[in-house]
Amino acid sequence: MTHQRGSLRVVRRKRGDTWVLRYRVTGSDGRRVENTIPVGLVRDFPTEKAAWREVDKLGLLVRINKAPCPGRIRFNSLAEHYLKADFGADAVRPKSENTTAITQHIVRDYLQAQWGTKVAEDIKPLDIQRWLKSLNTESQLAWTTIAKMRGVMSRVYKVGIRHGHVSMNPVLHVETRCKSNYRAIVISPQQTLAILMSLPALLHRTLVLTCAATALRASELLALRWSDIRWSEGRIRVSKRWADGKDGQTKTECSDGYVPLHPVLTQHLHEWQNRSPHRKDMDFVFPSLKKLGRVPLSPSIFVADHLRPAAKAAGVQIEDGQRFGLHNLRHSLSNWLVNKAKVEPKTVQGILRHSRIQTTLDLYTQEDSDEARAAQGEFLRALGMQSELVQ
């Protein structure tokens, strides 16, 4: 924190003109406001130099430069400051529109709703932890979502410390769980083929095939234009995603890149391009025919009307209310490549464009029971056990 000297000025008071020392402090709303401390009467200290000597004698500069009490700022103001500072010109990394919207939702609808009127530094770690736990037990929020809220709240304090509004971060001492209970439905190549065979429209078949073979996210798939298909290079350029009715930035920096385009997939995409009414370079690869190609098709409508029924017809067990959509094809490719095709996990990470290989292995690849059973058999054979029952 910079050392402030303040300034002297004369103000008129009933008992006579008085020297006051002016300085600034952080108010409860996070703004810097002016404060004053009386020094003495002008008749006692006729010159500014004499007044400064009195300032030094009284130790006023030491007093105004002591660590201020920045904790008086309320959480509402601290959170609003975070939204401006961490998403504005001072941000080291620009945030995508999706990240901005999600963060604002967490801050406004959860953090400020719970803690907004509290003084930021009076909020205790145990109170935060109990609240976060209640979001799981009472509101039935997933621990992964709660962990994200904890991260945002910690970031609010971290930015506040950087800008001198608070001096401590109570969230550092808060624990949450971060492992998801969600297990995606993984389908086999045979089931994927059965789904393809049951889709009568070439547009829908090509969409599912492309998603299954490339593991593109649905938003990335829908943002594709024909110019993104690099036929001669044997790859597909991924530089944007379709969200909220417009093009946006990719989910992460690692998502911005290329995915391979095998000759077999090339053949099917060529076939669809030749029959599509929207085949120009800047046309969508998977357009909404009802909207005359002005926007891509709606993923939610496609999944509800076509993909889920086709998956059930192919023998995929999907309970009512259970999540199943294009993202399951991404999980399925990762699972098959690692467990069945024995592709190096690093290669699979590159195809899925994950920033961390742990995401590929932990979230997108499930244990293969056949492989586990075979490994157990290897151990039993090493023990000298025969296939007959042990007597």
Side-chain angles (χ1 to χ4, degrees), residues 169-187:
N169 182 355
V171 190
L172 292 178
H173 309 288
V174 174
E175 296 179 348
T176 61
R177 295 170 57 188
C178 58
K179 189 169 179 62
S180 173
N181 295 326
Y182 170 69
R183 284 179 67 85
I185 297 175
V186 173
I187 61 177

Side-chain angles (χ1 to χ4, degrees), residues 207-326:
L207 171 68
V208 171
L209 178 62
T210 304
C211 185
T214 62
L216 283 172
R217 299 177 179 90
S219 58
E220 297 166 344
L221 197 67
L222 298 178
L224 288 180
R225 272 71 163 183
W226 287 112
S227 59
D228 296 317
I229 312 297
R230 307 296 171 83
W231 308 102
S232 60
E233 300 175 15
R235 57 184 185 171
I236 299 172
R237 177 75 175 100
V238 182
S239 60
K240 55 194 174 297
R241 65 193 190 96
W242 186 259
D244 299 323
K246 60 183 179 181
D247 286 328
Q249 294 178 327
T250 54
K251 183 177 181 180
T252 65
E253 291 180 1
C254 289
S255 300
D256 190 324
Y258 295 87
V259 295
L261 177 62
H262 190 274
V264 172
L265 182 57
T266 297
Q267 180 181 349
H268 286 273
L269 283 169
H270 265 311
E271 181 183 358
W272 164 237
Q273 185 183 33
N274 290 335
R275 294 175 57 181
S276 171
H278 309 285
R279 64 190 72 173
K280 296 179 182 177
D281 281 353
M282 296 310 297
D283 286 340
F284 289 104
V285 175
F286 303 109
S288 168
L289 301 181
K290 289 184 178 180
K291 298 290 181 65
L292 303 178
R294 291 190 295 269
V295 295
L297 57 75
S298 167
S300 58
I301 294 175
F302 168 70
V303 168
D305 293 350
H306 303 283
L307 184 59
R308 284 178 71 95
K312 289 183 177 181
V316 180
Q317 299 299 315
I318 308 174
E319 303 295 333
D320 290 340
Q322 193 173 11
R323 289 160 57 183
F324 184 85
L326 291 168

Side-chain angles (χ1 to χ4, degrees), residues 1 25 34 51 70 83 90 102 110 128 136 143 168 181 201 233 242 250 254 265 287 290 305 310 322 324 330 362 379:
M1 181 171 297
V25 296
E34 183 180 286
L83 290 176
D90 291 337
I102 290 173
Y110 286 94
I128 300 172
N136 175 258
W143 276 112
M168 57 174 287
N181 295 326
E233 300 175 15
W242 186 259
T250 54
C254 289
L265 182 57
K290 289 184 178 180
D305 293 350
Q322 193 173 11
F324 184 85
R330 181 174 167 85
D362 287 351
F379 173 74

